[in-house]
Amino acid sequence: MTATKNILITGGAGFIGSHVVRLFVNKYPDYHIINLDKLTYAGNLANLKDIEDKPNYTFVKADICDYDKMLELIREYEVGGIIHLAAESHVDRSIKDPFTFARTNVMGTLSLLEAARQNWNGDYEGKRFYHISTDEVYGTLEFDGTFFTETTSYDPHSPYSASKAGSDHFVRAYHDTYGLPTIVTNCSNNYGPYQFPEKLIPLFINNIRKEKPLPVYGKGENVRDWLYVVDHARAIDLIFHEGKLADTYNIGGFNEWKNIDLIKVIIKTVDKLLGNPEGTSEKLITYVTDRAGHDLRYAIDSTKLKNELGWEPSLQFEEGIEKTVQWYLDNQEWMDQITSGDYEKYYEMMYKER
Ligand code: NAD
Ligand code: DAU
């Protein structure tokens, strides 16, 4: 692929986006990486401290829904490649505030697609619009050993997954209607450093450290398929450069965990690293009202990505989870900065409602 080397990464101050920005800035010194982020509650420039002064990196604070701004930025930086991660990403928030999810995830993606189309104006040589999506668009699975594949029909159940499904459809429609050079990938649950502590793994690590309750939704029997975030970033790099245009790839590590079993691994690992006797924090487990519309099981089949592009996860889960717990324990200042103030109030309110 001969994409121009000016790459716009949206949502680069968030969890996955910051890992993608870091990887591209360090690995491709001859690229110019433009990180566009609105800096919502989930965006944090502290996630990128180590690369912020690199000469091939620029940060722009903007909202993807601002179509005129998207037009201007793509023109100004002569953007040839777009890796689109900006989104509202938390299912529980989408249940409380679906409009924000439709606005950012659907209208924001459309605004970016149209701005790319207008700027590229049919000259698609070397161009690429890569949209990062989720396995949640496929709906839910039973405990029957089946997997989501690239041809599984969409069946979203939450306002979050419905909005991501809408954005995926727009991306594919822009290829089919206007020939825009698009790619979509659907990934399973990510974990690792810099994840906002409203999501299960960082929330529970932080609550154990503070000896606060661990709110397990329902019976804790739902299953998620976990992938270390750096492996997702590696897959994005590979697919951006070598993936087939107009195609879809599923990304996942064949690593399913029932929530309650995963929670016990987190407890064991945190207790071990804090020097507590094994099992100390199990008393914090608190079963609470289930999430509305809670999908039972996700499981991604990423065989196509392995067979066509040779991607495989690099980390075993046991190693990844220990590294992750250690990172959160070593970076308490990062966590405390996020969880103070408004977020603390939001969390207490959400917790009381369950
Ligand atoms: P995140 O919530 O940590 O980060 C989202 C980023 O987008 C933040 O920096 C935020 O400031 C920015 N943003 C939000 N609205 C914006 C707007 N209107 N304009 C510009 N920037 C805006 O999310 P994440 O977990 O890093 O997820 C990134 C992407 O990957 C999302 O598209 C998500 O759907 C997808 N995804 C996430 C997972 C996962 O497990 N976290 C798995 C598969 C796919
Ligand atoms: O599958 C990919 C998706 O994974 C991404 O598209 C989303 O952006 C990302 O947020 C994630 O969605 P989940 O809803 O699966 O992640 P979350 O960490 O919120 O929850 C994981 C599981 O843990 C889920 O079954 C709900 C449960 N849970 C979550 C929280 C926050 C609890 O039991 N208690 C909790 O407090």
Side-chain angles (χ1 to χ4, degrees), residues 89-92 134-136 160 187-190 198-201 203-204 215-217 222 224 226 259 263 291 294-295 298:
S89 67
H90 190 42
V91 174
D92 294 331
T134 170
D135 59 1
E136 301 204 11
Y160 163 68
C187 188
S188 63
N189 283 63
N190 285 212
E198 62 191 350
K199 309 282 167 59
L200 181 76
I201 291 183
L203 174 70
F204 277 36
V216 181
Y217 298 170
N222 304 65
R224 296 291 180 268
W226 294 93
N259 287 342
I263 288 161
R291 173 185 277 172
H294 197 174
D295 287 331
Y298 301 147

PDB file of all heavy atoms in Angstrom, residues 89-92 134-136 160 187-190 198-201 203-204 215-217 222 224 226 259 263 291 294-295 298, ligand 2:
ATOM      1  N   SER A  89     -17.976   4.814  24.310  1.00  0.00           N
ATOM      2  CA  SER A  89     -17.660   3.382  24.296  1.00  0.00           C
ATOM      3  C   SER A  89     -18.244   2.559  25.459  1.00  0.00           C
ATOM      4  O   SER A  89     -18.059   1.351  25.486  1.00  0.00           O
ATOM      5  CB  SER A  89     -16.138   3.214  24.302  1.00  0.00           C
ATOM      6  OG  SER A  89     -15.608   3.661  25.538  1.00  0.00           O
ATOM      7  N   HIS A  90     -18.929   3.214  26.399  1.00  0.00           N
ATOM      8  CA  HIS A  90     -19.348   2.435  27.576  1.00  0.00           C
ATOM      9  C   HIS A  90     -20.842   2.091  27.548  1.00  0.00           C
ATOM     10  O   HIS A  90     -21.699   2.981  27.543  1.00  0.00           O
ATOM     11  CB  HIS A  90     -19.005   3.198  28.843  1.00  0.00           C
ATOM     12  CG  HIS A  90     -19.178   2.390  30.092  1.00  0.00           C
ATOM     13  ND1 HIS A  90     -18.791   1.070  30.194  1.00  0.00           N
ATOM     14  CD2 HIS A  90     -19.692   2.710  31.303  1.00  0.00           C
ATOM     15  CE1 HIS A  90     -19.070   0.609  31.405  1.00  0.00           C
ATOM     16  NE2 HIS A  90     -19.623   1.588  32.096  1.00  0.00           N
ATOM     17  N   VAL A  91     -21.136   0.796  27.569  1.00  0.00           N
ATOM     18  CA  VAL A  91     -22.511   0.300  27.440  1.00  0.00           C
ATOM     19  C   VAL A  91     -23.431   0.897  28.514  1.00  0.00           C
ATOM     20  O   VAL A  91     -24.553   1.347  28.218  1.00  0.00           O
ATOM     21  CB  VAL A  91     -22.524  -1.243  27.516  1.00  0.00           C
ATOM     22  CG1 VAL A  91     -23.951  -1.775  27.535  1.00  0.00           C
ATOM     23  CG2 VAL A  91     -21.745  -1.840  26.355  1.00  0.00           C
ATOM     24  N   ASP A  92     -22.985   0.937  29.772  1.00  0.00           N
ATOM     25  CA  ASP A  92     -23.849   1.463  30.849  1.00  0.00           C
ATOM     26  C   ASP A  92     -24.222   2.919  30.602  1.00  0.00           C
ATOM     27  O   ASP A  92     -25.363   3.329  30.849  1.00  0.00           O
ATOM     28  CB  ASP A  92     -23.157   1.326  32.215  1.00  0.00           C
ATOM     29  CG  ASP A  92     -22.975  -0.136  32.619  1.00  0.00           C
ATOM     30  OD1 ASP A  92     -23.796  -0.964  32.197  1.00  0.00           O
ATOM     31  OD2 ASP A  92     -22.007  -0.444  33.330  1.00  0.00           O
ATOM     32  N   THR A 134     -16.632  -3.085  16.941  1.00  0.00           N
ATOM     33  CA  THR A 134     -16.682  -3.996  18.093  1.00  0.00           C
ATOM     34  C   THR A 134     -17.430  -5.295  17.762  1.00  0.00           C
ATOM     35  O   THR A 134     -18.287  -5.319  16.869  1.00  0.00           O
ATOM     36  CB  THR A 134     -17.427  -3.280  19.249  1.00  0.00           C
ATOM     37  OG1 THR A 134     -17.689  -4.206  20.288  1.00  0.00           O
ATOM     38  CG2 THR A 134     -18.759  -2.692  18.801  1.00  0.00           C
ATOM     39  N   ASP A 135     -17.158  -6.332  18.540  1.00  0.00           N
ATOM     40  CA  ASP A 135     -17.904  -7.588  18.367  1.00  0.00           C
ATOM     41  C   ASP A 135     -19.353  -7.455  18.851  1.00  0.00           C
ATOM     42  O   ASP A 135     -20.200  -8.279  18.520  1.00  0.00           O
ATOM     43  CB  ASP A 135     -17.203  -8.750  19.092  1.00  0.00           C
ATOM     44  CG  ASP A 135     -17.025  -8.548  20.592  1.00  0.00           C
ATOM     45  OD1 ASP A 135     -17.455  -7.502  21.127  1.00  0.00           O
ATOM     46  OD2 ASP A 135     -16.443  -9.455  21.239  1.00  0.00           O
ATOM     47  N   GLU A 136     -19.640  -6.390  19.632  1.00  0.00           N
ATOM     48  CA  GLU A 136     -20.999  -6.269  20.210  1.00  0.00           C
ATOM     49  C   GLU A 136     -22.071  -6.077  19.136  1.00  0.00           C
ATOM     50  O   GLU A 136     -23.252  -6.296  19.407  1.00  0.00           O
ATOM     51  CB  GLU A 136     -21.055  -5.119  21.223  1.00  0.00           C
ATOM     52  CG  GLU A 136     -20.090  -5.312  22.354  1.00  0.00           C
ATOM     53  CD  GLU A 136     -20.453  -4.573  23.636  1.00  0.00           C
ATOM     54  OE1 GLU A 136     -21.564  -4.045  23.751  1.00  0.00           O
ATOM     55  OE2 GLU A 136     -19.595  -4.549  24.526  1.00  0.00           O
ATOM     56  N   TYR A 160     -25.370   1.424  22.733  1.00  0.00           N
ATOM     57  CA  TYR A 160     -23.970   1.499  22.277  1.00  0.00           C
ATOM     58  C   TYR A 160     -23.764   0.645  21.030  1.00  0.00           C
ATOM     59  O   TYR A 160     -23.297   1.134  19.995  1.00  0.00           O
ATOM     60  CB  TYR A 160     -23.016   1.046  23.396  1.00  0.00           C
ATOM     61  CG  TYR A 160     -21.619   0.711  22.888  1.00  0.00           C
ATOM     62  CD1 TYR A 160     -20.788   1.709  22.390  1.00  0.00           C
ATOM     63  CD2 TYR A 160     -21.146  -0.611  22.880  1.00  0.00           C
ATOM     64  CE1 TYR A 160     -19.513   1.403  21.901  1.00  0.00           C
ATOM     65  CE2 TYR A 160     -19.880  -0.923  22.399  1.00  0.00           C
ATOM     66  CZ  TYR A 160     -19.064   0.086  21.907  1.00  0.00           C
ATOM     67  OH  TYR A 160     -17.821  -0.214  21.413  1.00  0.00           O
ATOM     68  N   CYS A 187     -13.582  -6.011  16.997  1.00  0.00           N
ATOM     69  CA  CYS A 187     -12.690  -6.617  18.001  1.00  0.00           C
ATOM     70  C   CYS A 187     -13.454  -6.981  19.282  1.00  0.00           C
ATOM     71  O   CYS A 187     -14.479  -6.387  19.601  1.00  0.00           O
ATOM     72  CB  CYS A 187     -11.563  -5.639  18.323  1.00  0.00           C
ATOM     73  SG  CYS A 187     -10.270  -6.350  19.367  1.00  0.00           S
ATOM     74  N   SER A 188     -12.893  -7.923  20.001  1.00  0.00           N
ATOM     75  CA  SER A 188     -13.461  -8.338  21.293  1.00  0.00           C
ATOM     76  C   SER A 188     -13.007  -7.392  22.401  1.00  0.00           C
ATOM     77  O   SER A 188     -12.322  -6.403  22.145  1.00  0.00           O
ATOM     78  CB  SER A 188     -13.013  -9.767  21.589  1.00  0.00           C
ATOM     79  OG  SER A 188     -11.601  -9.780  21.710  1.00  0.00           O
ATOM     80  N   ASN A 189     -13.362  -7.700  23.657  1.00  0.00           N
ATOM     81  CA  ASN A 189     -13.023  -6.840  24.811  1.00  0.00           C
ATOM     82  C   ASN A 189     -11.516  -6.673  24.968  1.00  0.00           C
ATOM     83  O   ASN A 189     -10.790  -7.671  25.032  1.00  0.00           O
ATOM     84  CB  ASN A 189     -13.536  -7.486  26.104  1.00  0.00           C
ATOM     85  CG  ASN A 189     -15.026  -7.319  26.269  1.00  0.00           C
ATOM     86  OD1 ASN A 189     -15.801  -7.828  25.455  1.00  0.00           O
ATOM     87  ND2 ASN A 189     -15.436  -6.621  27.303  1.00  0.00           N
ATOM     88  N   ASN A 190     -11.079  -5.430  25.084  1.00  0.00           N
ATOM     89  CA  ASN A 190      -9.658  -5.142  25.304  1.00  0.00           C
ATOM     90  C   ASN A 190      -9.394  -4.922  26.787  1.00  0.00           C
ATOM     91  O   ASN A 190     -10.262  -4.438  27.517  1.00  0.00           O
ATOM     92  CB  ASN A 190      -9.259  -3.847  24.594  1.00  0.00           C
ATOM     93  CG  ASN A 190      -9.129  -4.005  23.086  1.00  0.00           C
ATOM     94  OD1 ASN A 190      -8.306  -3.338  22.463  1.00  0.00           O
ATOM     95  ND2 ASN A 190      -9.920  -4.862  22.472  1.00  0.00           N
ATOM     96  N   GLU A 198     -14.186   2.885  34.430  1.00  0.00           N
ATOM     97  CA  GLU A 198     -15.608   2.537  34.477  1.00  0.00           C
ATOM     98  C   GLU A 198     -15.775   1.129  33.913  1.00  0.00           C
ATOM     99  O   GLU A 198     -16.815   0.509  34.087  1.00  0.00           O
ATOM    100  CB  GLU A 198     -16.423   3.517  33.627  1.00  0.00           C
ATOM    101  CG  GLU A 198     -16.042   3.475  32.148  1.00  0.00           C
ATOM    102  CD  GLU A 198     -16.619   4.586  31.317  1.00  0.00           C
ATOM    103  OE1 GLU A 198     -17.479   5.318  31.798  1.00  0.00           O
ATOM    104  OE2 GLU A 198     -16.188   4.712  30.147  1.00  0.00           O
ATOM    105  N   LYS A 199     -14.735   0.633  33.215  1.00  0.00           N
ATOM    106  CA  LYS A 199     -14.783  -0.692  32.606  1.00  0.00           C
ATOM    107  C   LYS A 199     -14.321  -1.726  33.628  1.00  0.00           C
ATOM    108  O   LYS A 199     -13.544  -1.420  34.530  1.00  0.00           O
ATOM    109  CB  LYS A 199     -13.883  -0.733  31.362  1.00  0.00           C
ATOM    110  CG  LYS A 199     -14.131   0.398  30.361  1.00  0.00           C
ATOM    111  CD  LYS A 199     -15.360   0.184  29.502  1.00  0.00           C
ATOM    112  CE  LYS A 199     -15.808   1.414  28.736  1.00  0.00           C
ATOM    113  NZ  LYS A 199     -14.884   2.013  27.828  1.00  0.00           N
ATOM    114  N   LEU A 200     -14.804  -2.958  33.465  1.00  0.00           N
ATOM    115  CA  LEU A 200     -14.675  -3.980  34.507  1.00  0.00           C
ATOM    116  C   LEU A 200     -13.270  -4.105  35.119  1.00  0.00           C
ATOM    117  O   LEU A 200     -13.119  -4.015  36.345  1.00  0.00           O
ATOM    118  CB  LEU A 200     -15.101  -5.347  33.948  1.00  0.00           C
ATOM    119  CG  LEU A 200     -15.022  -6.494  34.949  1.00  0.00           C
ATOM    120  CD1 LEU A 200     -16.166  -6.439  35.938  1.00  0.00           C
ATOM    121  CD2 LEU A 200     -15.041  -7.843  34.251  1.00  0.00           C
ATOM    122  N   ILE A 201     -12.262  -4.316  34.296  1.00  0.00           N
ATOM    123  CA  ILE A 201     -10.950  -4.682  34.855  1.00  0.00           C
ATOM    124  C   ILE A 201     -10.307  -3.538  35.648  1.00  0.00           C
ATOM    125  O   ILE A 201      -9.985  -3.714  36.833  1.00  0.00           O
ATOM    126  CB  ILE A 201     -10.037  -5.295  33.761  1.00  0.00           C
ATOM    127  CG1 ILE A 201     -10.622  -6.662  33.366  1.00  0.00           C
ATOM    128  CG2 ILE A 201      -8.590  -5.419  34.252  1.00  0.00           C
ATOM    129  CD1 ILE A 201      -9.837  -7.454  32.345  1.00  0.00           C
ATOM    130  N   LEU A 203     -11.751  -0.912  36.906  1.00  0.00           N
ATOM    131  CA  LEU A 203     -12.647  -0.565  38.020  1.00  0.00           C
ATOM    132  C   LEU A 203     -12.408  -1.502  39.213  1.00  0.00           C
ATOM    133  O   LEU A 203     -12.263  -1.070  40.358  1.00  0.00           O
ATOM    134  CB  LEU A 203     -14.111  -0.658  37.569  1.00  0.00           C
ATOM    135  CG  LEU A 203     -15.152  -0.469  38.672  1.00  0.00           C
ATOM    136  CD1 LEU A 203     -15.174   0.972  39.159  1.00  0.00           C
ATOM    137  CD2 LEU A 203     -16.551  -0.865  38.193  1.00  0.00           C
ATOM    138  N   PHE A 204     -12.334  -2.805  38.908  1.00  0.00           N
ATOM    139  CA  PHE A 204     -12.197  -3.771  39.991  1.00  0.00           C
ATOM    140  C   PHE A 204     -10.808  -3.695  40.630  1.00  0.00           C
ATOM    141  O   PHE A 204     -10.672  -3.824  41.847  1.00  0.00           O
ATOM    142  CB  PHE A 204     -12.535  -5.188  39.492  1.00  0.00           C
ATOM    143  CG  PHE A 204     -14.034  -5.454  39.490  1.00  0.00           C
ATOM    144  CD1 PHE A 204     -14.945  -4.447  39.179  1.00  0.00           C
ATOM    145  CD2 PHE A 204     -14.545  -6.709  39.812  1.00  0.00           C
ATOM    146  CE1 PHE A 204     -16.325  -4.678  39.182  1.00  0.00           C
ATOM    147  CE2 PHE A 204     -15.922  -6.957  39.821  1.00  0.00           C
ATOM    148  CZ  PHE A 204     -16.815  -5.940  39.505  1.00  0.00           C
ATOM    149  N   PRO A 215     -18.966  -4.579  42.206  1.00  0.00           N
ATOM    150  CA  PRO A 215     -20.345  -4.843  41.770  1.00  0.00           C
ATOM    151  C   PRO A 215     -20.418  -5.808  40.587  1.00  0.00           C
ATOM    152  O   PRO A 215     -20.153  -5.453  39.455  1.00  0.00           O
ATOM    153  CB  PRO A 215     -20.835  -3.446  41.348  1.00  0.00           C
ATOM    154  CG  PRO A 215     -19.600  -2.680  40.982  1.00  0.00           C
ATOM    155  CD  PRO A 215     -18.463  -3.271  41.758  1.00  0.00           C
ATOM    156  N   VAL A 216     -20.802  -7.052  40.880  1.00  0.00           N
ATOM    157  CA  VAL A 216     -20.919  -8.070  39.825  1.00  0.00           C
ATOM    158  C   VAL A 216     -22.356  -8.045  39.311  1.00  0.00           C
ATOM    159  O   VAL A 216     -23.296  -8.261  40.078  1.00  0.00           O
ATOM    160  CB  VAL A 216     -20.593  -9.474  40.390  1.00  0.00           C
ATOM    161  CG1 VAL A 216     -20.695 -10.525  39.299  1.00  0.00           C
ATOM    162  CG2 VAL A 216     -19.219  -9.476  41.040  1.00  0.00           C
ATOM    163  N   TYR A 217     -22.525  -7.792  38.021  1.00  0.00           N
ATOM    164  CA  TYR A 217     -23.879  -7.716  37.456  1.00  0.00           C
ATOM    165  C   TYR A 217     -24.505  -9.114  37.371  1.00  0.00           C
ATOM    166  O   TYR A 217     -23.861 -10.051  36.888  1.00  0.00           O
ATOM    167  CB  TYR A 217     -23.852  -7.115  36.044  1.00  0.00           C
ATOM    168  CG  TYR A 217     -23.339  -5.690  35.947  1.00  0.00           C
ATOM    169  CD1 TYR A 217     -23.071  -5.125  34.704  1.00  0.00           C
ATOM    170  CD2 TYR A 217     -23.139  -4.889  37.074  1.00  0.00           C
ATOM    171  CE1 TYR A 217     -22.615  -3.818  34.580  1.00  0.00           C
ATOM    172  CE2 TYR A 217     -22.682  -3.589  36.965  1.00  0.00           C
ATOM    173  CZ  TYR A 217     -22.411  -3.062  35.722  1.00  0.00           C
ATOM    174  OH  TYR A 217     -21.950  -1.772  35.604  1.00  0.00           O
ATOM    175  N   ASN A 222     -22.009 -14.046  32.662  1.00  0.00           N
ATOM    176  CA  ASN A 222     -21.796 -13.596  31.275  1.00  0.00           C
ATOM    177  C   ASN A 222     -20.340 -13.826  30.882  1.00  0.00           C
ATOM    178  O   ASN A 222     -19.451 -13.738  31.722  1.00  0.00           O
ATOM    179  CB  ASN A 222     -22.151 -12.112  31.145  1.00  0.00           C
ATOM    180  CG  ASN A 222     -23.561 -11.858  31.603  1.00  0.00           C
ATOM    181  OD1 ASN A 222     -23.870 -12.044  32.776  1.00  0.00           O
ATOM    182  ND2 ASN A 222     -24.432 -11.484  30.686  1.00  0.00           N
ATOM    183  N   ARG A 224     -17.061 -12.919  28.350  1.00  0.00           N
ATOM    184  CA  ARG A 224     -16.412 -11.989  27.433  1.00  0.00           C
ATOM    185  C   ARG A 224     -15.107 -12.617  26.963  1.00  0.00           C
ATOM    186  O   ARG A 224     -14.528 -13.464  27.637  1.00  0.00           O
ATOM    187  CB  ARG A 224     -16.134 -10.638  28.120  1.00  0.00           C
ATOM    188  CG  ARG A 224     -17.422  -9.873  28.540  1.00  0.00           C
ATOM    189  CD  ARG A 224     -18.175  -9.391  27.323  1.00  0.00           C
ATOM    190  NE  ARG A 224     -19.399  -8.659  27.613  1.00  0.00           N
ATOM    191  CZ  ARG A 224     -20.622  -9.190  27.715  1.00  0.00           C
ATOM    192  NH1 ARG A 224     -20.786 -10.498  27.605  1.00  0.00           N
ATOM    193  NH2 ARG A 224     -21.679  -8.428  27.908  1.00  0.00           N
ATOM    194  N   TRP A 226     -11.321 -11.788  25.981  1.00  0.00           N
ATOM    195  CA  TRP A 226     -10.417 -10.677  26.328  1.00  0.00           C
ATOM    196  C   TRP A 226      -9.128 -10.695  25.511  1.00  0.00           C
ATOM    197  O   TRP A 226      -8.487 -11.728  25.362  1.00  0.00           O
ATOM    198  CB  TRP A 226     -10.083 -10.731  27.818  1.00  0.00           C
ATOM    199  CG  TRP A 226     -11.298 -10.480  28.668  1.00  0.00           C
ATOM    200  CD1 TRP A 226     -12.155 -11.410  29.193  1.00  0.00           C
ATOM    201  CD2 TRP A 226     -11.825  -9.198  29.057  1.00  0.00           C
ATOM    202  NE1 TRP A 226     -13.168 -10.790  29.889  1.00  0.00           N
ATOM    203  CE2 TRP A 226     -12.986  -9.428  29.833  1.00  0.00           C
ATOM    204  CE3 TRP A 226     -11.419  -7.877  28.843  1.00  0.00           C
ATOM    205  CZ2 TRP A 226     -13.754  -8.398  30.372  1.00  0.00           C
ATOM    206  CZ3 TRP A 226     -12.175  -6.849  29.381  1.00  0.00           C
ATOM    207  CH2 TRP A 226     -13.328  -7.113  30.140  1.00  0.00           C
ATOM    208  N   ASN A 259     -17.455 -13.870  33.685  1.00  0.00           N
ATOM    209  CA  ASN A 259     -17.071 -12.713  34.504  1.00  0.00           C
ATOM    210  C   ASN A 259     -16.594 -13.100  35.900  1.00  0.00           C
ATOM    211  O   ASN A 259     -15.563 -12.615  36.368  1.00  0.00           O
ATOM    212  CB  ASN A 259     -18.249 -11.731  34.632  1.00  0.00           C
ATOM    213  CG  ASN A 259     -18.510 -10.977  33.341  1.00  0.00           C
ATOM    214  OD1 ASN A 259     -17.656 -10.923  32.454  1.00  0.00           O
ATOM    215  ND2 ASN A 259     -19.698 -10.386  33.223  1.00  0.00           N
ATOM    216  N   ILE A 263     -13.061 -12.266  37.559  1.00  0.00           N
ATOM    217  CA  ILE A 263     -12.993 -11.416  38.755  1.00  0.00           C
ATOM    218  C   ILE A 263     -12.139 -12.101  39.833  1.00  0.00           C
ATOM    219  O   ILE A 263     -11.326 -11.459  40.502  1.00  0.00           O
ATOM    220  CB  ILE A 263     -14.433 -11.113  39.246  1.00  0.00           C
ATOM    221  CG1 ILE A 263     -15.085 -10.122  38.266  1.00  0.00           C
ATOM    222  CG2 ILE A 263     -14.446 -10.584  40.677  1.00  0.00           C
ATOM    223  CD1 ILE A 263     -16.607 -10.071  38.339  1.00  0.00           C
ATOM    224  N   ARG A 291     -27.241  -5.644  34.307  1.00  0.00           N
ATOM    225  CA  ARG A 291     -27.314  -4.622  33.257  1.00  0.00           C
ATOM    226  C   ARG A 291     -28.518  -4.924  32.364  1.00  0.00           C
ATOM    227  O   ARG A 291     -28.746  -6.095  32.008  1.00  0.00           O
ATOM    228  CB  ARG A 291     -26.017  -4.691  32.446  1.00  0.00           C
ATOM    229  CG  ARG A 291     -25.969  -3.836  31.220  1.00  0.00           C
ATOM    230  CD  ARG A 291     -24.673  -4.067  30.423  1.00  0.00           C
ATOM    231  NE  ARG A 291     -23.558  -3.316  30.931  1.00  0.00           N
ATOM    232  CZ  ARG A 291     -22.298  -3.462  30.508  1.00  0.00           C
ATOM    233  NH1 ARG A 291     -22.011  -4.355  29.567  1.00  0.00           N
ATOM    234  NH2 ARG A 291     -21.334  -2.719  31.003  1.00  0.00           N
ATOM    235  N   HIS A 294     -28.361  -7.259  28.989  1.00  0.00           N
ATOM    236  CA  HIS A 294     -26.974  -7.752  29.123  1.00  0.00           C
ATOM    237  C   HIS A 294     -26.704  -8.948  28.201  1.00  0.00           C
ATOM    238  O   HIS A 294     -27.251 -10.039  28.412  1.00  0.00           O
ATOM    239  CB  HIS A 294     -26.770  -8.155  30.585  1.00  0.00           C
ATOM    240  CG  HIS A 294     -25.344  -8.290  30.988  1.00  0.00           C
ATOM    241  ND1 HIS A 294     -24.967  -8.529  32.289  1.00  0.00           N
ATOM    242  CD2 HIS A 294     -24.189  -8.214  30.291  1.00  0.00           C
ATOM    243  CE1 HIS A 294     -23.652  -8.584  32.366  1.00  0.00           C
ATOM    244  NE2 HIS A 294     -23.164  -8.409  31.152  1.00  0.00           N
ATOM    245  N   ASP A 295     -25.839  -8.775  27.221  1.00  0.00           N
ATOM    246  CA  ASP A 295     -25.505  -9.876  26.312  1.00  0.00           C
ATOM    247  C   ASP A 295     -24.812 -10.996  27.093  1.00  0.00           C
ATOM    248  O   ASP A 295     -23.916 -10.754  27.894  1.00  0.00           O
ATOM    249  CB  ASP A 295     -24.560  -9.388  25.203  1.00  0.00           C
ATOM    250  CG  ASP A 295     -25.281  -8.505  24.186  1.00  0.00           C
ATOM    251  OD1 ASP A 295     -26.498  -8.699  23.979  1.00  0.00           O
ATOM    252  OD2 ASP A 295     -24.620  -7.625  23.600  1.00  0.00           O
ATOM    253  N   TYR A 298     -19.888 -13.298  24.350  1.00  0.00           N
ATOM    254  CA  TYR A 298     -19.209 -12.885  23.117  1.00  0.00           C
ATOM    255  C   TYR A 298     -18.036 -13.829  22.891  1.00  0.00           C
ATOM    256  O   TYR A 298     -17.315 -14.159  23.842  1.00  0.00           O
ATOM    257  CB  TYR A 298     -18.620 -11.471  23.218  1.00  0.00           C
ATOM    258  CG  TYR A 298     -19.586 -10.349  23.525  1.00  0.00           C
ATOM    259  CD1 TYR A 298     -19.163  -9.254  24.272  1.00  0.00           C
ATOM    260  CD2 TYR A 298     -20.889 -10.346  23.046  1.00  0.00           C
ATOM    261  CE1 TYR A 298     -20.014  -8.193  24.553  1.00  0.00           C
ATOM    262  CE2 TYR A 298     -21.742  -9.294  23.323  1.00  0.00           C
ATOM    263  CZ  TYR A 298     -21.307  -8.218  24.075  1.00  0.00           C
ATOM    264  OH  TYR A 298     -22.149  -7.178  24.342  1.00  0.00           O
TER     265      TYR A 298
HETATM  266  O1  DAU B   2     -16.783  -6.471  23.346  1.00  0.00           O
HETATM  267  C1  DAU B   2     -16.177  -5.247  23.054  1.00  0.00           C
HETATM  268  C2  DAU B   2     -16.717  -4.185  23.975  1.00  0.00           C
HETATM  269  O2  DAU B   2     -16.161  -4.428  25.255  1.00  0.00           O
HETATM  270  C3  DAU B   2     -16.394  -2.769  23.517  1.00  0.00           C
HETATM  271  O3  DAU B   2     -17.017  -2.521  22.285  1.00  0.00           O
HETATM  272  C4  DAU B   2     -16.855  -1.745  24.562  1.00  0.00           C
HETATM  273  O4  DAU B   2     -16.464  -0.446  24.167  1.00  0.00           O
HETATM  274  C5  DAU B   2     -16.226  -2.095  25.884  1.00  0.00           C
HETATM  275  O5  DAU B   2     -16.701  -1.210  26.885  1.00  0.00           O
HETATM  276  C6  DAU B   2     -16.523  -3.536  26.275  1.00  0.00           C
HETATM  277  O6  DAU B   2     -17.927  -3.693  26.597  1.00  0.00           O
HETATM  278  P1  DAU B   2     -18.433  -4.570  27.837  1.00  0.00           P
HETATM  279  O7  DAU B   2     -19.779  -4.105  28.215  1.00  0.00           O
HETATM  280  O8  DAU B   2     -18.258  -6.023  27.562  1.00  0.00           O
HETATM  281  O9  DAU B   2     -17.319  -4.137  28.934  1.00  0.00           O
HETATM  282  P2  DAU B   2     -17.431  -3.783  30.494  1.00  0.00           P
HETATM  283  O10 DAU B   2     -16.038  -3.670  31.011  1.00  0.00           O
HETATM  284  O11 DAU B   2     -18.357  -2.649  30.745  1.00  0.00           O
HETATM  285  O12 DAU B   2     -18.098  -5.078  31.110  1.00  0.00           O
HETATM  286  C7  DAU B   2     -17.497  -6.357  30.976  1.00  0.00           C
HETATM  287  C8  DAU B   2     -18.422  -7.388  31.611  1.00  0.00           C
HETATM  288  O13 DAU B   2     -18.444  -7.179  33.040  1.00  0.00           O
HETATM  289  C9  DAU B   2     -19.869  -7.263  31.166  1.00  0.00           C
HETATM  290  O14 DAU B   2     -20.459  -8.554  31.101  1.00  0.00           O
HETATM  291  C10 DAU B   2     -20.540  -6.457  32.289  1.00  0.00           C
HETATM  292  C11 DAU B   2     -19.763  -6.885  33.528  1.00  0.00           C
HETATM  293  N1  DAU B   2     -19.603  -5.840  34.565  1.00  0.00           N
HETATM  294  C12 DAU B   2     -19.125  -4.617  34.192  1.00  0.00           C
HETATM  295  C13 DAU B   2     -18.952  -3.605  35.124  1.00  0.00           C
HETATM  296  C14 DAU B   2     -18.429  -2.243  34.694  1.00  0.00           C
HETATM  297  C15 DAU B   2     -19.897  -6.123  35.897  1.00  0.00           C
HETATM  298  O15 DAU B   2     -20.301  -7.236  36.246  1.00  0.00           O
HETATM  299  N2  DAU B   2     -19.724  -5.125  36.818  1.00  0.00           N
HETATM  300  C16 DAU B   2     -19.274  -3.876  36.499  1.00  0.00           C
HETATM  301  O16 DAU B   2     -19.153  -2.995  37.395  1.00  0.00           O
END
